[in-house]
Amino acid sequence: MIDVKQTMAEAEERMEEATMYLEEALSHIRAGKANIKLLDGIRVDSYGSMVPISNVASVNTPDARTIAIKPWDKSMIRPIEKAIIASSLGITPENNGELIRLGIPPLTEERRKQLAKQCKTEAENAKVSVRNARRDTIDKLKKGIKDGLSEDLEKDAEADLQKMHDKYVKKVDELYAAKEKEIMTV
């Protein structure tokens, strides 16, 4: 016989992972404001190995439109610049010999709409993952009836699962709405 609590915990874990993935995906979408997470995917050649920029430099945002990168070793300025130019970030770095600055340009209205659409796609993917977790769990519960699980217990678990599903779909909608607001704010 299946363990209902264990099955429900697994479903909740899958739904939580979907929302965590969405948060991570949305944090990498540029909203016209300086955010050091924009550099997370960029790797720099440091003495023969590829490492994140944060491993070879301190990265901060002195203001809302600038990211400042200060390498701990001045010889890393060129490799960091090359990595940023080669990335899909689309921002040209400026350096003064000690510090690399990335000026984040304001987004055009068209670009804002594209980014909002990209966010919507990510949110829809997260919702699909939440729905799939619910569907798989319902299938497990239905099979559990054949293995001796009582129908009342299965119906109660299904009702709880629906509440859990609604909670996570609402969380996905809230994350999307917040990111869309951030993108559309000029």
Side-chain angles (χ1 to χ4, degrees):
M1 195 163 103
I2 69 166
D3 181 2
V4 176
K5 284 186 179 175
Q6 176 68 28
T7 305
M8 296 297 281
E10 288 169 8
E12 184 160 24
E13 187 178 330
R14 283 181 59 190
M15 291 178 187
E16 183 64 35
E17 285 173 3
T19 55
M20 285 171 30
Y21 175 80
L22 177 65
E23 279 183 81
E24 183 67 21
L26 293 180
S27 72
H28 290 286
I29 295 176
R30 188 161 62 99
K33 282 193 275 191
N35 183 349
I36 60 174
K37 284 196 173 218
L38 293 173
L39 303 175
D40 280 356
I42 301 174
R43 301 272 183 240
V44 179
D45 184 13
S46 172
Y47 305 107
S49 61
M50 299 304 276
V51 297
I53 290 178
S54 58
N55 286 15
V56 295
S58 67
V59 181
N60 62 24
T61 53
D63 60 63
R65 294 260 182 240
T66 311
I67 297 175
I69 304 166
K70 186 167 176 59
W72 294 311
D73 178 3
K74 285 190 168 92
S75 67
M76 290 304 296
I77 286 183
R78 301 300 291 147
I80 291 172
E81 259 188 328
K82 281 182 183 175
I84 292 170
I85 291 169
S87 75
S88 62
L89 199 56
I91 299 173
T92 306
E94 309 161 14
N95 91 59
N96 63 5
E98 287 184 19
L99 190 72
I100 298 172
R101 290 188 200 282
L102 299 176
I104 309 294
L107 299 171
T108 62
E109 188 63 30
E110 184 181 326
R111 183 70 179 136
R112 286 178 195 282
K113 287 179 181 169
Q114 281 179 336
L115 291 174
K117 196 181 275 187
Q118 184 181 347
C119 291
K120 179 124 180 102
T121 303
E122 291 290 348
E124 283 304 316
N125 289 342
K127 283 183 184 180
V128 167
S129 295
V130 169
R131 288 186 200 114
N132 286 343
R134 178 186 62 177
R135 186 198 62 224
D136 294 346
T137 305
I138 287 174
D139 290 347
K140 249 186 196 177
L141 291 170
K142 297 260 189 238
K143 285 180 184 156
I145 290 176
K146 294 174 186 160
D147 295 339
L149 182 69
S150 76
E151 285 189 29
D152 289 345
L153 202 56
E154 188 266 341
K155 288 291 179 207
D156 291 345
E158 220 173 287
D160 291 345
L161 186 64
Q162 185 61 44
K163 286 179 191 160
M164 188 189 307
H165 166 268
D166 295 344
K167 178 180 96 173
Y168 281 101
V169 166
K170 185 176 183 228
K171 191 173 180 182
V172 166
D173 286 338
E174 288 168 357
L175 289 170
Y176 166 66
K179 186 64 176 187
E180 185 181 41
K181 184 179 179 212
E182 181 184 337
I183 288 171
M184 291 309 205
T185 303
V186 179

